[in-house]
Every structure is written in C-alpha cells, then in structure tokens.
Coordinates of all heavy atoms in Angstrom, one line a residue:
R1019 N 19.6 -14.6 -3.5 CA 20.4 -14.2 -2.4 C 19.4 -13.6 -1.3 O 18.3 -13.2 -1.6 CB 21.4 -13.1 -2.8 CG 20.8 -11.8 -3.3 CD 21.9 -10.9 -3.8 NE 21.4 -9.6 -4.2 CZ 22.1 -8.7 -4.8 NH1 23.4 -8.9 -5.1 NH2 21.6 -7.5 -5.1
Q1020 N 19.9 -13.7 -0.1 CA 19.2 -13.2 1.0 C 20.1 -12.4 2.0 O 21.0 -13.0 2.5 CB 18.4 -14.3 1.8 CG 17.5 -13.8 2.9 CD 16.6 -14.9 3.4 OE1 16.9 -16.1 3.2 NE2 15.5 -14.5 3.9
A1021 N 19.8 -11.2 2.1 CA 20.6 -10.3 3.1 C 19.9 -10.3 4.4 O 18.7 -10.6 4.5 CB 20.7 -8.9 2.5
P1022 N 20.7 -10.0 5.5 CA 20.0 -9.9 6.8 C 18.8 -8.9 6.8 O 18.9 -7.8 6.4 CB 21.2 -9.4 7.7 CG 22.4 -9.8 7.0 CD 22.1 -9.7 5.5
G1023 N 17.7 -9.4 7.4 CA 16.5 -8.6 7.5 C 15.7 -8.5 6.2 O 14.7 -7.7 6.2
K1024 N 16.1 -9.1 5.2 CA 15.4 -9.0 3.9 C 15.0 -10.4 3.4 O 15.5 -11.4 3.9 CB 16.3 -8.4 2.8 CG 16.8 -7.0 3.1 CD 17.6 -6.4 1.9 CE 16.8 -6.3 0.7 NZ 17.5 -5.7 -0.5
E1025 N 14.0 -10.4 2.5 CA 13.5 -11.6 1.9 C 14.5 -12.1 0.8 O 15.2 -11.3 0.3 CB 12.1 -11.4 1.4 CG 11.0 -11.1 2.4 CD 9.6 -11.0 1.8 OE1 9.5 -11.0 0.5 OE2 8.7 -11.1 2.5
R1026 N 14.4 -13.3 0.5 CA 15.2 -13.9 -0.5 C 14.8 -13.2 -1.9 O 13.6 -13.1 -2.2 CB 15.0 -15.4 -0.6 CG 15.9 -16.1 -1.6 CD 15.8 -17.6 -1.4 NE 16.2 -18.0 -0.1 CZ 16.2 -19.3 0.3 NH1 15.8 -20.3 -0.5 NH2 16.5 -19.6 1.5
E1027 N 15.8 -12.8 -2.7 CA 15.5 -12.2 -3.9 C 16.2 -12.9 -5.1 O 17.3 -13.5 -4.9 CB 15.9 -10.7 -3.9 CG 17.4 -10.5 -3.8 CD 17.8 -9.0 -3.9 OE1 17.0 -8.2 -4.4 OE2 18.9 -8.7 -3.4
F1028 N 15.6 -12.8 -6.2 CA 16.1 -13.4 -7.5 C 17.4 -12.6 -7.9 O 17.4 -11.4 -7.9 CB 15.1 -13.4 -8.6 CG 15.6 -13.6 -9.9 CD1 15.9 -14.9 -10.3 CD2 15.8 -12.6 -10.8 CE1 16.3 -15.2 -11.6 CE2 16.3 -12.9 -12.1 CZ 16.6 -14.2 -12.5
V1029 N 18.4 -13.3 -8.4 CA 19.6 -12.7 -8.9 C 19.8 -12.9 -10.4 O 19.9 -12.0 -11.2 CB 20.8 -13.2 -8.2 CG1 22.1 -12.6 -8.8 CG2 20.8 -12.8 -6.7
A1030 N 19.7 -14.2 -10.8 CA 19.9 -14.6 -12.2 C 19.4 -16.0 -12.5 O 19.4 -16.8 -11.5 CB 21.4 -14.5 -12.6
R1031 N 19.1 -16.3 -13.7 CA 18.7 -17.7 -14.1 C 19.3 -18.0 -15.5 O 19.6 -17.1 -16.3 CB 17.2 -17.9 -14.1 CG 16.5 -17.1 -15.1 CD 15.0 -17.6 -15.2 NE 14.3 -16.9 -16.3 CZ 13.4 -15.9 -16.1 NH1 13.1 -15.5 -14.9 NH2 12.8 -15.4 -17.2
I1032 N 19.4 -19.3 -15.8 CA 19.8 -19.7 -17.1 C 19.1 -21.0 -17.4 O 18.9 -21.9 -16.6 CB 21.4 -20.0 -17.1 CG1 21.9 -20.3 -18.5 CG2 21.8 -21.0 -16.1 CD1 23.4 -20.2 -18.6
S1033 N 18.6 -21.1 -18.7 CA 18.0 -22.4 -19.1 C 19.1 -23.4 -19.4 O 20.2 -23.1 -20.0 CB 17.2 -22.1 -20.4 OG 18.0 -21.7 -21.5
W1034 N 18.9 -24.6 -19.0 CA 19.9 -25.6 -19.1 C 20.2 -26.0 -20.5 O 21.4 -26.3 -20.9 CB 19.5 -26.9 -18.3 CG 20.6 -27.7 -17.9 CD1 20.9 -29.0 -18.2 CD2 21.7 -27.3 -17.1 NE1 22.0 -29.4 -17.6 CE2 22.6 -28.4 -16.9 CE3 22.1 -26.0 -16.4 CZ2 23.8 -28.3 -16.2 CZ3 23.3 -26.0 -15.7 CH2 24.1 -27.1 -15.6
S1035 N 19.2 -26.1 -21.4 CA 19.4 -26.5 -22.7 C 19.9 -25.4 -23.6 O 21.0 -25.6 -24.3 CB 18.1 -27.0 -23.3 OG 18.2 -27.5 -24.6
G1036 N 19.2 -24.3 -23.7 CA 19.6 -23.2 -24.6 C 20.5 -22.2 -24.1 O 21.1 -21.4 -24.9
G1037 N 20.7 -22.1 -22.8 CA 21.6 -21.1 -22.2 C 21.0 -19.7 -22.1 O 21.8 -18.8 -21.9
T1038 N 19.7 -19.5 -22.3 CA 19.1 -18.2 -22.2 C 19.2 -17.7 -20.8 O 19.0 -18.4 -19.8 CB 17.6 -18.3 -22.6 OG1 17.5 -18.8 -23.9 CG2 17.0 -16.9 -22.5
T1039 N 19.7 -16.5 -20.6 CA 19.9 -15.9 -19.3 C 19.0 -14.7 -19.0 O 18.5 -14.1 -20.0 CB 21.3 -15.4 -19.2 OG1 21.6 -14.4 -20.2 CG2 22.3 -16.5 -19.4
Y1040 N 18.8 -14.4 -17.8 CA 18.0 -13.3 -17.3 C 18.5 -12.9 -16.0 O 18.9 -13.7 -15.1 CB 16.5 -13.7 -17.2 CG 15.6 -12.6 -16.8 CD1 15.2 -11.7 -17.7 CD2 15.2 -12.4 -15.5 CE1 14.3 -10.6 -17.4 CE2 14.4 -11.4 -15.1 CZ 13.9 -10.5 -16.1 OH 13.1 -9.4 -15.8
Y1041 N 18.6 -11.5 -15.8 CA 19.2 -11.0 -14.6 C 18.3 -10.0 -13.9 O 17.5 -9.3 -14.6 CB 20.5 -10.3 -14.9 CG 21.6 -11.1 -15.6 CD1 21.7 -11.3 -16.9 CD2 22.5 -11.8 -14.7 CE1 22.6 -12.1 -17.5 CE2 23.5 -12.6 -15.3 CZ 23.5 -12.8 -16.7 OH 24.5 -13.6 -17.2
A1042 N 18.5 -9.9 -12.6 CA 17.8 -8.8 -11.9 C 18.5 -7.5 -12.2 O 19.7 -7.5 -12.5 CB 18.0 -9.1 -10.4
D1043 N 17.7 -6.4 -12.2 CA 18.3 -5.1 -12.6 C 19.5 -4.7 -11.7 O 20.4 -4.1 -12.2 CB 17.2 -4.0 -12.5 CG 16.2 -4.2 -13.6 OD1 16.5 -4.8 -14.6 OD2 15.1 -3.6 -13.5
S1044 N 19.5 -5.1 -10.5 CA 20.5 -4.7 -9.5 C 21.9 -5.3 -9.9 O 22.9 -4.8 -9.4 CB 20.1 -5.1 -8.1 OG 19.9 -6.5 -8.0
V1045 N 21.9 -6.4 -10.6 CA 23.2 -7.0 -11.0 C 23.5 -7.0 -12.4 O 24.6 -7.4 -12.8 CB 23.2 -8.5 -10.4 CG1 22.9 -8.5 -9.0 CG2 22.3 -9.4 -11.2
K1046 N 22.6 -6.5 -13.3 CA 22.8 -6.5 -14.7 C 24.1 -5.7 -15.1 O 24.3 -4.6 -14.6 CB 21.6 -5.9 -15.4 CG 21.4 -6.3 -16.8 CD 20.1 -5.8 -17.4 CE 18.9 -6.5 -16.6 NZ 17.6 -6.1 -17.1
G1047 N 24.9 -6.3 -15.9 CA 26.1 -5.7 -16.3 C 27.3 -6.0 -15.4 O 28.5 -5.7 -15.8
R1048 N 27.1 -6.6 -14.2 CA 28.1 -6.9 -13.3 C 28.3 -8.4 -13.1 O 29.4 -8.9 -12.9 CB 27.9 -6.2 -11.9 CG 27.8 -4.7 -12.0 CD 27.7 -4.1 -10.6 NE 26.5 -4.5 -9.9 CZ 26.5 -5.1 -8.8 NH1 27.7 -5.5 -8.2 NH2 25.4 -5.4 -8.2
F1049 N 27.2 -9.1 -13.1 CA 27.2 -10.5 -12.8 C 26.9 -11.3 -14.1 O 26.2 -10.8 -15.0 CB 26.1 -10.9 -11.8 CG 26.3 -10.5 -10.4 CD1 27.3 -9.6 -10.1 CD2 25.5 -11.0 -9.4 CE1 27.5 -9.2 -8.8 CE2 25.7 -10.6 -8.1 CZ 26.7 -9.7 -7.8
T1050 N 27.5 -12.5 -14.3 CA 27.3 -13.3 -15.4 C 27.0 -14.8 -14.9 O 27.8 -15.3 -14.2 CB 28.5 -13.3 -16.4 OG1 28.8 -12.0 -16.8 CG2 28.2 -14.2 -17.6
I1051 N 25.9 -15.3 -15.4 CA 25.6 -16.7 -15.1 C 25.9 -17.6 -16.3 O 25.7 -17.2 -17.4 CB 24.1 -16.9 -14.7 CG1 23.8 -18.3 -14.2 CG2 23.2 -16.5 -15.8 CD1 22.4 -18.5 -13.5
S1052 N 26.5 -18.7 -16.0 CA 26.9 -19.6 -17.1 C 26.7 -21.1 -16.6 O 26.5 -21.3 -15.4 CB 28.3 -19.4 -17.6 OG 29.2 -19.6 -16.5
R1053 N 26.8 -22.0 -17.5 CA 26.7 -23.4 -17.1 C 27.6 -24.3 -17.9 O 28.0 -24.0 -19.0 CB 25.2 -23.9 -17.2 CG 24.8 -24.4 -18.6 CD 24.4 -23.3 -19.5 NE 23.6 -23.8 -20.6 CZ 24.0 -23.8 -21.9 NH1 25.3 -23.4 -22.2 NH2 23.3 -24.2 -22.8
D1054 N 28.0 -25.4 -17.3 CA 28.8 -26.5 -17.9 C 27.9 -27.7 -17.8 O 27.9 -28.4 -16.8 CB 30.1 -26.6 -17.3 CG 31.0 -27.6 -18.0 OD1 30.5 -28.5 -18.7 OD2 32.3 -27.5 -17.9
N1055 N 27.2 -28.0 -18.9 CA 26.3 -29.2 -18.8 C 27.0 -30.5 -18.5 O 26.5 -31.3 -17.8 CB 25.5 -29.3 -20.1 CG 24.6 -28.1 -20.4 OD1 25.0 -26.9 -20.2 ND2 23.4 -28.4 -20.8
A1056 N 28.2 -30.7 -19.1 CA 28.9 -31.9 -18.9 C 29.3 -32.1 -17.4 O 29.4 -33.2 -16.9 CB 30.2 -31.9 -19.7
K1057 N 29.5 -31.0 -16.7 CA 29.8 -31.1 -15.3 C 28.6 -30.9 -14.4 O 28.8 -30.9 -13.1 CB 30.9 -30.1 -14.9 CG 32.2 -30.3 -15.6 CD 33.3 -29.3 -15.3 CE 34.6 -29.5 -15.9 NZ 35.6 -28.5 -15.6
N1058 N 27.5 -30.7 -14.9 CA 26.3 -30.4 -14.2 C 26.5 -29.3 -13.2 O 26.1 -29.4 -12.0 CB 25.8 -31.7 -13.4 CG 25.3 -32.7 -14.4 OD1 24.6 -32.4 -15.3 ND2 25.6 -34.0 -14.1
T1059 N 27.1 -28.2 -13.6 CA 27.5 -27.1 -12.8 C 27.1 -25.8 -13.4 O 27.2 -25.6 -14.6 CB 29.0 -27.1 -12.6 OG1 29.4 -28.4 -12.0 CG2 29.4 -26.0 -11.7
V1060 N 26.6 -24.9 -12.5 CA 26.3 -23.6 -12.9 C 27.2 -22.6 -12.1 O 27.5 -22.9 -11.0 CB 24.8 -23.2 -12.7 CG1 24.4 -23.3 -11.2 CG2 24.4 -21.9 -13.3

C-alpha cells in the first residue's frame, strides 16, 4: 500500500503452493491474506 506522501510499504504475502503467510506488524491480527489457486486469485 502507498499513502499520500509516503513510500510504498509491504502489507502481507502468501506462498502460492503452501499458503504460508506473513504480515506487517501494522496489520497483524486485523488483515488476512488468502488465495484460491483454481481461480488464480488472492
């Protein structure tokens, strides 16, 4: 994400095969990343 006047920052990621997730501290516990491999959608 990128807010006005700020650099782009990492929010969350997920591995496509195993589904391993990682979150920025600022969103941990509030945001959830997921994927649907059949639909090629995150």
